Amino acid sequence: MFESLQEGLQSALKTLRGKGKLTEANMREGLKLVEQSLLEADVSFPVVREFMREVTKKALGQRVLNSLDPSQQLVGIVYDELVRILGPVDPSLHLTKDVNVLMMCGLQGSGKTTTCGKLAKLLLEEGVQPMLVAADLQRPAAIDQLHVLGEQLGVPVYSRRDTKDPVTVCRDAVAQARKDKVRVVILDTAGRLAIDQELMDELSRIDREVAPDQVYLVVDGMTGQDAVNSAKAFNDALELDGVIMTKLDGDARGGALLSVKFITGVPIKFIGTGEQLTALEQFYPDGMASRILGLGDIRQLVTEARRIVDEKEQAKLEEKLREGKFTLEDFKTQFQKLSQPGLMQKMLGLMPGMGEIQKLMANEDSDGEMRRIIGIIDAMTPQERAEPKIIDASRRRRIARGAGVEPQAVNELIKQFEMISPIMQQLAGKGLGGRLQAIRELQQSGMFDPGAQLQVKKKGTGRRLSPKERAKLKKMREKERRRKKRQQRQGKG
C-alpha cells in the first residue's frame, strides 16, 4: 500500500539519520526530500504546501535541532502532521435508529457494488443484520451482481425489475426493512462513467425523498487527483458523510488519500484493501500515518488476527504448546490460516519493524511456498506428522515423491519445524505485545529469517548462524528442556 509514498518519506527521513549534528541547512535539505516524495505521490499541491509549512516550522525550532536525536523528533513531527491532515475521523456508523439507511454513490468502475457487499460483511461481523438494495437501474448487471453478493453473505437483497424509478425502489426497500426488522439498509445507487447532471439529479432526488441517514461516496484510490475532484463534485450535490476509498492494494500512490479530507472537508471512513469481501477496513488516521512511515498498525493487526483465529481453537493450541506437544499437523494448520492470497504480506505490513521482511517476501512466491509446505506435510502419515524424528531417508524419498518436491525440501521443512517449535512454545501464553516483542528480538538476532524459505531449486548456500545466534538458540532450547523437566517433576509429585 502506497509503496512510492512510503519509500519516498522513509528514504527522506533516513538521510537525516547518522549525521553527527543536525543543522538548519541539512534539516532543510531533508525536508526538501520529504516535499518531493509527497509531490511524486500525487498529493495535491495545496496539501503539500500546508503540510510542509507546519512540519518546517516545528522541525527548525531549537528544541528539535538541539535534541539528542533530532531525526527521531522529525519522524514524530511528520507523523503528527500526517494524522492532522488525515483526520479527525469518527469511523463508527452511528446506528441509532431502528432502521438506518446508508446511501452509497460513486462513478462506474470505482467498486461501489462490491463495497456494498463488503460493508454488509463488516456489519454481519459486528452482529448487525443488513439489507442490500439494488437501486442502480441503469445497469442490469449491477442488480445481478448484488444478488450474487447477497447469496454469498446470506443477506437479503431488495430489487424490482418492474420499475425504472430508483426512488420507488429505495422507499419500498426501507418499508420492507421496517417490516422485517432489518437494522441497516444499504442503497446501491446508479453510477456513470463520468459526472453528469442526470446522475446528480437522480442522486439528489433519492437524498431528498428517501432521506438516508448517511451518504457515502466510493472512489477509486488509483485515479489520484480525479478521486479528489469526484469527491468535491459529489459533496457539493449531496453533502457527503464520508468517503470509502477502494483499490488501495494496487498501484495507488497515496496522493488521493492525503488530499481528500483537506480539499473537501469530507473524512475517509473506510478503505478497500483487496477483492475479498473481508478486505474493508475502518479508517483511523493514526494507524494510517504509522503505516505510511513504516511503523506498522497494531490496531488493524489485532482486527485481522481476530478474523482468522478461532478463539477456542487458539486456546487448544496454547495448551498444547505449553505442554510441549506442538506437531507438524499444528504447524500445517497455522500455515493454512495464513495461506489466503496476500494475507501473510498484509499481516507483515501491519507489524512494527517488519517492512524489510515484507519486501524480502514480496520478491519470493510466498503464497506458493505456503502451498508447497502444506503439500509436503499432507504427504506424511499421521505418525510422521506427530513424530518427525522417525522420518528416515526412505520415508523422506516417499514424502518427496508424494508432494512433488526434492527430498532436500522435506529435510529443510523438518529443520525449520525443529527451529520454530521451541519459539512457538516460548510465545505461548504471551499477549500480543509480548509476542511482537519476542518476534522483534528473533528478527534482530537473525534467527527469524523469512528468506530461508523452502526452494524446489537450490538458489544458493544460504546464510550461516553467527556464534551469537547459535548461542541464543542453544539457550532457548536449554530453557525449554528445563521447563519440561520441571513440569514432569510436578506431575510426578
Side-chain angles (χ1 to χ4, degrees):
M1 192 189 289
F2 313 137
E3 282 182 17
S4 61
L5 177 59
Q6 285 181 331
E7 287 174 10
L9 277 177
Q10 287 172 43
S11 61
L13 295 168
K14 214 175 276 183
T15 60
L16 297 170
R17 290 186 198 131
K19 293 186 185 283
K21 182 171 173 56
L22 279 179
T23 63
E24 186 169 328
N26 52 33
M27 184 68 93
R28 282 191 185 279
E29 186 183 326
L31 290 171
K32 194 71 185 167
L33 293 173
V34 170
E35 182 179 24
Q36 185 180 324
S37 68
L38 291 170
L39 291 170
E40 286 175 357
D42 201 22
V43 180
S44 294
F45 182 70
V47 180
V48 175
R49 187 174 53 195
E50 167 71 10
F51 183 92
M52 293 310 302
R53 186 176 65 78
E54 290 300 313
V55 169
T56 303
K57 185 169 69 177
K58 293 170 186 171
L60 296 180
Q62 290 304 306
R63 189 174 167 189
V64 172
L65 291 174
N66 295 332
S67 70
L68 290 173
D69 193 342
S71 62
Q72 280 301 315
Q73 290 266 59
L74 181 58
V75 171
I77 291 166
V78 171
Y79 168 83
D80 288 342
E81 195 55 28
L82 283 172
V83 172
R84 190 183 74 81
I85 291 285
L86 292 167
V89 177
D90 177 2
S92 58
L93 288 170
H94 298 288
L95 307 177
T96 57
K97 298 182 178 178
D98 291 337
V99 176
N100 301 270
V101 182
L102 311 181
M103 177 176 165
M104 310 283 277
C105 54
L107 297 177
Q108 278 183 29
S110 63
K112 176 172 51 65
T113 301
T114 304
T115 300
C116 288
K118 289 180 179 180
L119 189 56
K121 172 70 172 171
L122 196 69
L123 287 164
L124 286 172
E125 288 177 354
E126 294 177 2
V128 177
Q129 178 62 52
M131 172 192 279
L132 295 169
V133 180
D136 183 352
L137 307 182
Q138 303 293 323
R139 200 167 58 96
I143 300 173
D144 297 332
Q145 185 186 354
L146 208 63
H147 275 283
V148 170
L149 290 170
E151 284 177 24
Q152 287 176 10
L153 294 165
V155 166
V157 177
Y158 187 93
S159 66
R160 283 184 56 180
R161 298 179 192 263
D162 61 339
T163 179
K164 289 293 180 184
D165 181 18
V167 172
T168 300
V169 174
C170 294
R171 195 186 289 128
D172 290 353
V174 173
Q176 187 66 45
R178 284 204 170 88
K179 185 179 173 184
D180 295 343
K181 292 184 167 49
V182 172
R183 195 161 166 220
V184 176
V185 176
I186 302 172
L187 309 177
D188 181 23
T189 63
R192 295 284 192 282
L193 291 173
I195 295 167
D196 61 29
Q197 195 56 46
E198 185 186 2
L199 169 66
M200 290 306 179
D201 288 345
E202 180 178 308
L203 294 174
S204 296
R205 202 159 63 87
I206 296 172
D207 188 31
R208 187 172 60 253
E209 296 187 34
V210 180
D213 299 290
Q214 291 167 64
V215 181
Y216 293 128
L217 173 69
V218 180
V219 295
D220 181 346
M222 293 175 66
T223 59
Q225 290 311 300
D226 283 344
V228 181
N229 296 334
S230 292
K232 193 170 186 312
F234 274 92
N235 189 47
D236 289 343
L238 297 169
E239 290 189 28
L240 300 171
D241 292 283
V243 168
I244 301 176
M245 194 163 284
T246 63
K247 305 181 187 178
L248 294 185
D249 57 321
D251 297 326
R253 287 183 287 174
L257 185 91
L258 287 174
S259 305
V260 163
K261 172 70 187 332
F262 185 89
I263 299 293
T264 67
V266 180
I268 293 170
K269 297 276 279 192
F270 297 92
I271 55 172
T273 57
E275 294 178 8
Q276 300 88 359
L277 288 173
T278 53
L280 185 71
E281 299 176 14
Q282 288 181 308
F283 183 77
Y284 292 94
D286 54 348
M288 184 54 65
S290 188
R291 270 193 248 187
I292 289 170
L293 292 172
L295 303 172
D297 184 349
I298 293 294
R299 183 194 280 114
Q300 190 57 35
L301 179 62
V302 171
T303 301
E304 293 297 329
R306 281 179 181 151
R307 273 179 170 163
I308 62 172
V309 172
D310 179 279
E311 288 184 18
K312 288 182 182 175
E313 207 175 293
Q314 193 61 25
K316 280 184 188 175
L317 178 62
E318 291 274 343
E319 186 60 34
K320 288 180 80 173
L321 287 168
R322 280 193 284 267
E323 292 173 3
K325 294 180 182 175
F326 186 64
T327 67
L328 275 165
E329 187 65 44
D330 300 316
F331 188 58
K332 183 187 91 168
T333 301
Q334 299 307 305
F335 263 91
Q336 282 175 322
K337 287 183 183 299
L338 292 169
S339 62
Q340 298 171 35
L343 181 58
M344 175 65 91
Q345 282 283 342
K346 184 174 183 180
M347 296 291 275
L348 283 173
L350 295 170
M351 286 185 184
M354 291 291 183
E356 291 304 314
I357 291 178
Q358 186 188 23
K359 286 177 198 168
L360 183 66
M361 287 188 71
N363 296 328
E364 303 284 344
D365 180 14
S366 56
D367 295 329
E369 199 59 52
M370 284 186 173
R371 288 192 296 273
R372 194 151 43 241
I373 288 170
I374 291 167
I376 293 170
I377 298 173
D378 280 342
M380 298 176 183
T381 65
Q383 188 185 6
E384 287 165 347
R385 291 176 211 168
E387 303 173 67
K389 285 180 180 171
I390 68 170
I391 299 174
D392 55 19
S394 63
R395 287 176 184 260
R396 198 160 47 244
R397 285 194 295 272
R398 190 204 81 243
I399 294 165
R401 279 197 306 274
V405 298
E406 295 294 325
Q408 179 61 25
V410 182
N411 254 354
E412 289 295 328
L413 171 60
I414 293 167
K415 281 180 188 173
Q416 283 192 345
F417 173 74
E418 288 173 350
M419 194 173 192
I420 286 170
S421 184
I423 293 168
M424 291 289 288
Q425 288 163 21
Q426 192 183 34
L427 295 178
K430 292 185 177 178
L432 180 65
R435 289 182 185 187
L436 287 173
Q437 180 59 33
I439 289 168
R440 275 197 291 270
E441 287 172 6
L442 291 167
Q443 180 196 353
Q444 287 161 7
S445 72
M447 287 163 56
F448 186 67
D449 183 5
Q453 297 178 48
L454 296 175
Q455 301 294 339
V456 176
K457 294 178 183 175
K458 198 171 179 183
K459 290 187 179 178
T461 58
R463 62 183 291 284
R464 293 179 181 275
L465 292 175
S466 69
K468 184 179 176 183
E469 291 163 358
R470 283 197 296 272
K472 182 156 187 174
L473 182 58
K474 185 179 178 184
K475 188 177 176 183
M476 283 176 64
R477 285 176 175 160
E478 283 296 326
K479 186 177 177 183
E480 187 55 29
R481 271 197 287 269
R482 286 197 301 273
R483 188 183 66 78
K484 285 181 184 176
K485 282 181 182 177
R486 189 166 60 251
Q487 282 184 337
Q488 285 170 359
R489 284 198 301 272
Q490 288 169 350
K492 288 176 184 177

